[in-house]
Amino acid sequence: MQGLPDPKSLLDDDRADGSIYSNPDLYDMEMDRIFMHNWIWVAHRSDLPAPGDFITTFVGSHPVIVSRDRKGVVHVMLNRCRHRAATVCELKHGKTASFVCPYHGWAYGLDGALRGVPHQEGYTGQLDKSKLPLISLKVEEYNGLIFASFDKDIMSLDEWLGRAKPWIDLFMKQGAGWPVKTMGEHKFTFPGNWKIQLENTTDAYHFPIVHKSFLDSVDAETQNTFDFVEGAGFVEDLGHGHSVMVMIPELVDLDEGLDAPIPERFAELAAELAKDYPDEQVRKIVRAVGGSGFNLNLFPNLACSMAFFRVLRPLSVTETEIRHIAIGMDGGPDIANEARLRLHEHFQGPMGFGTPDDAEAWDRVQRGSLAGKDISILLNRGLGHEARREDGNLFSDVSAETGMRAAYRQWLIAMSEEAGA
Amino acid sequence: MSITLQDAISLITLEADMLDHGDFHDWLKLYTPEGRYVVPIDPDVEDFEKVLNYAYDDAEMREKRVVRLLSGRSISAAPPARTVRLLSRYRMLESSDTHCTLRCAQMLQELRQGRVHDYAANLNYRLEMTEDGLKIALKVVRLLISTEALTAVSYIL
């Protein structure tokens, strides 16, 4: 095709052209080559725990239904009637036996099969219901994370997540022995390109600058915990655009270090839990409440970020929706889950003490990037001392831009493939 | 004598005026020590402690929120958004000589970074008569768009 931007010309090992945030043609390519040809996160297992449960969400710009059928199998289907294209479900979540189109009453099962068509005799034998199910995407799940893809030839999710899998397993230790469950979300938009948010998840460099007012609002012990920019943490490229930023190394494995002193801010919670649980379990729950010490960025739309899921959805080249999904212990003590909710409210969301400042910084990036032409965005921090681990992963210090470089390498691979391949 | 609608309106319009004019330290004094300021997400929820909210502030969190807005150390609140809000459609749901519950509408317009946002909300108040006069024991801001995507709200609704 003529006139398409050349992604290679916009990216170098250590920089990207500023137009990557605002070129509408590039955005259209991304929505096809990235969001229709990669694994896109759609739900957590706990969002649809039982047969008949469903949610509606998006894969890129495409509205989908994620449902669990009677046998417990999860389906991801386009929310589009095969007759005249009306959405068949507008509820955000619920429980049902079928999805009935409100326009002419075509009825689909939880697996998308077309079950019923009113007045079918009007088609005089020219309608084969078996050929008109809701259009299904490929679905796979890893440790409770459900992903979907339009691309039937895509590599397995197992292979795609690859070296990120052990980090997902570590992240899920926040269940403290119980399964992890989602507990509601903060949803907001910012007027900027989605890649600005993608970059931010493994950007430790901004934390003490952007989040001064958050750090002012916590005790000295917590301030010390979050003082990681020159600490022993690291950022590591996990392949396929995934990366991990370890900010607080002692909080990587929540099953370890259980004999460490309980932080003062959790003393009251620990005392309350001690009425019902033995000491070791109290310590495990309290550590889980505090969250993991790392951000895991899974290209392109999910992050397992310290104590929550961050999900991004591009709305246009210059607008992005972000969801910060709270997580907790499914079956765990209410007071511990409530403590997690209060911590989430403190930092996250449109009225949190952290998120609005992040959003302001991203907004500034978008507006500033429109100044001038042919000016680069620098991605070279930590490159000078980047090294390779024995398993081949590139890594550098915690404030390095190694994760961004990893994401952009994958971006280029995806964008360089032939459209529709 | 039961708390009158006029007394209740006087208190909550004073609050609205303080918030629009940045008198945040004085705003703190309008609440009882146990008072709560809540901005829920779920339009039907009553037990706010058990669910995720946009804000679920006790006295300590309200004070921290004020410090943050005035500190100049938050880039989204330096300066805070400017707001103009109107309260109307008052209805006293229950009133005694010690406390009352009141419902009203709030239309708020916000200006920040050259962009205007409108937020409509139902406000629910529980007011209590104290030795220092009528105080706010609970304010619940039920945003019309609470279940939709918001933008950053760097002020007090």
Side-chain angles (χ1 to χ4, degrees):
Chain A
M1 232 194 293
Q2 282 189 332
L4 282 181
D6 176 15
K8 273 198 295 296
S9 70
L10 301 172
L11 189 67
D12 219 326
D13 292 341
D14 61 352
R15 65 194 62 210
D17 186 75
S19 68
I20 60 166
Y21 298 141
S22 52
N23 181 333
D25 296 329
L26 195 68
Y27 176 81
D28 289 344
M29 282 176 74
E30 290 172 342
M31 294 315 287
D32 177 15
R33 297 184 183 189
I34 293 175
F35 285 88
M36 293 185 79
H37 291 279
N38 280 290
W39 284 108
I40 305 299
W41 185 84
V42 291
H44 183 259
R45 183 163 53 201
S46 64
D47 293 329
L48 49 159
D53 290 346
F54 70 87
I55 63 160
T56 54
T57 183
F58 291 85
V59 172
S61 55
H62 305 270
V64 298
I65 301 169
V66 185
S67 67
R68 191 178 289 281
D69 71 19
R70 285 177 204 290
K71 293 175 184 162
V73 179
V74 175
H75 302 269
V76 178
M77 309 166 296
L78 291 187
N79 192 355
R80 172 190 174 127
C81 182
R82 296 302 303 277
H83 176 215
R84 300 280 285 283
T87 56
V88 298
C89 181
E90 286 292 334
L91 295 170
K92 285 180 178 163
H93 58 88
K95 197 175 193 68
T96 189
S98 62
F99 299 102
V100 180
C101 179
Y103 198 0
H104 301 93
W106 287 30
Y108 301 88
L110 289 163
D111 59 357
L114 179 57
R115 294 274 159 77
V117 171
H119 308 295
Q120 197 179 337
E121 59 280 6
Y123 285 98
T124 52
Q126 291 179 331
L127 185 90
D128 182 353
K129 290 212 293 281
S130 71
K131 291 203 165 65
L132 292 169
L134 294 178
I135 289 170
S136 281
L137 279 66
K138 195 163 174 167
V139 187
E140 288 184 23
E141 178 174 338
Y142 180 78
N143 203 344
L145 302 177
I146 301 169
F147 295 79
S149 179
F150 277 93
D151 190 339
K152 303 285 186 197
D153 300 321
I154 195 171
M155 69 177 79
S156 71
L157 180 66
D158 211 57
E159 189 184 347
W160 168 251
L161 293 174
R163 303 196 296 273
K165 285 190 296 178
W167 291 96
I168 295 173
D169 298 343
L170 286 167
F171 188 79
M172 298 304 171
K173 289 193 178 189
Q174 288 176 80
W178 290 281
V180 164
K181 68 168 177 181
T182 58
M183 297 197 297
E185 66 184 31
H186 288 141
K187 187 163 69 171
F188 62 99
T189 60
F190 77 95
N193 186 266
W194 65 280
K195 297 186 294 298
I196 297 169
Q197 156 72 94
L198 183 73
E199 295 164 9
N200 178 260
T201 292
T202 51
D203 183 320
Y205 194 22
H206 82 287
F207 200 94
I209 312 293
V210 167
H211 299 305
K212 280 197 223 67
S213 76
F214 168 74
L215 292 168
D216 289 345
S217 74
V218 297
D219 64 21
E221 191 180 15
T222 312
Q223 285 175 2
N224 193 38
T225 305
F226 281 100
D227 182 15
F228 46 67
V229 169
E230 293 182 349
F234 58 88
V235 186
E236 190 165 319
D237 175 354
L238 302 172
H240 292 146
H242 315 316
S243 60
V244 67
M245 171 177 72
V246 172
M247 293 159 283
I248 309 164
E250 57 274 25
L251 294 178
V252 163
D253 189 335
L254 295 174
D255 288 345
E256 288 178 1
L258 291 175
D259 48 359
I262 287 173
E264 180 61 31
R265 64 178 172 147
F266 295 129
E268 207 175 309
L269 173 66
E272 202 58 36
L273 288 167
K275 294 175 186 169
D276 297 315
Y277 297 92
D279 183 60
E280 189 172 312
Q281 198 175 5
V282 168
R283 289 171 174 277
K284 194 167 166 171
I285 295 167
V286 168
R287 263 173 84 78
V289 166
S292 300
F294 60 88
N295 284 2
L296 174 65
N297 207 14
L298 298 175
F299 187 86
N301 78 322
L302 176 69
C304 297
S305 187
M306 295 196 88
F308 65 100
F309 298 136
R310 186 275 292 145
V311 189
L312 67 80
R313 177 163 74 98
L315 299 178
S316 76
V317 64
T318 56
E319 191 172 24
T320 305
E321 178 192 276
I322 311 290
R323 294 154 66 201
H324 287 166
I325 301 174
I327 56 175
M329 301 156 235
D330 195 358
D334 287 346
I335 50 167
N337 281 330
E338 285 163 20
R340 285 190 68 104
L341 292 171
R342 301 292 90 78
L343 290 172
H344 194 90
E345 288 161 355
H346 188 162
F347 190 95
Q348 314 299 341
M351 295 189 75
F353 286 24
T355 298
D357 295 325
D358 278 325
E360 174 76 13
W362 308 333
D363 186 352
R364 300 272 191 107
V365 170
Q366 184 72 35
R367 277 184 287 149
S369 74
L370 298 175
K373 279 190 88 170
D374 305 323
I375 305 173
S376 293
I377 284 144
L378 297 183
L379 299 166
N380 61 341
R381 189 173 167 85
L383 191 59
H385 48 271
E386 198 166 74
R388 222 172 254 289
R389 295 207 193 280
E390 280 178 20
D391 59 10
N393 290 357
L394 284 170
F395 76 101
S396 190
D397 76 285
V398 65
S399 74
E401 285 156 356
T402 301
M404 296 170 217
R405 293 190 287 273
Y408 278 112
R409 271 195 293 277
Q410 185 63 34
W411 177 85
L412 187 59
I413 289 169
M415 292 290 276
S416 301
E417 303 203 336
E418 287 302 309
Chain B
M1 198 180 83
S2 293
I3 298 163
T4 65
L5 181 63
Q6 199 50 52
D7 287 344
I9 291 173
S10 293
L11 176 60
I12 66 175
T13 51
L14 175 64
E15 184 198 27
D17 180 82
M18 285 176 171
L19 292 176
D20 279 345
H21 291 91
D23 299 337
F24 298 125
H25 288 299
D26 287 336
W27 172 72
L28 292 171
K29 297 175 198 155
L30 300 183
Y31 283 70
T32 64
E34 295 77 32
R36 296 276 175 171
Y37 166 80
V38 191
V39 185
I41 299 170
D42 186 334
D44 302 317
V45 76
E46 292 294 338
D47 194 353
F48 308 111
E49 193 163 4
K50 298 234 178 299
V51 297
L52 187 70
N53 306 284
Y54 290 119
Y56 181 69
D57 288 2
D58 57 12
E60 190 186 351
M61 278 299 282
R62 282 197 299 280
E63 195 163 337
K64 286 180 175 181
R65 199 174 286 282
V66 166
V67 168
R68 178 172 179 273
L69 287 178
L70 297 176
S71 69
R73 285 161 65 81
S74 156
I75 52 169
S76 65
R82 292 169 61 204
T83 58
V84 174
R85 69 193 76 199
L86 279 178
L87 272 51
S88 191
R89 205 205 60 204
Y90 305 102
R91 181 178 171 192
M92 189 71 92
L93 299 173
E94 186 197 354
S95 181
S96 73
D97 56 349
T98 58
H99 69 274
C100 68
T101 57
L102 178 78
R103 186 164 72 199
C104 68
Q106 173 171 284
M107 301 297 289
L108 179 151
Q109 194 163 72
E110 162 209 328
L111 174 67
R112 179 160 165 74
Q113 302 285 29
R115 301 186 193 106
V116 169
H117 288 109
D118 292 300
Y119 287 108
N122 283 302
L123 304 185
N124 286 70
Y125 282 95
R126 181 183 160 90
L127 308 179
E128 279 179 14
M129 190 55 78
T130 72
E131 286 178 2
D132 301 320
L134 200 56
K135 299 281 176 188
I136 301 167
L138 176 67
K139 175 184 181 182
V140 182
V141 182
R142 294 192 186 272
L143 289 169
L144 188 62
I145 59 163
S146 67
T147 56
E148 309 303 316
L150 305 187
T151 51
V153 177
S154 271
Y155 51 92
I156 296 169
L157 283 167

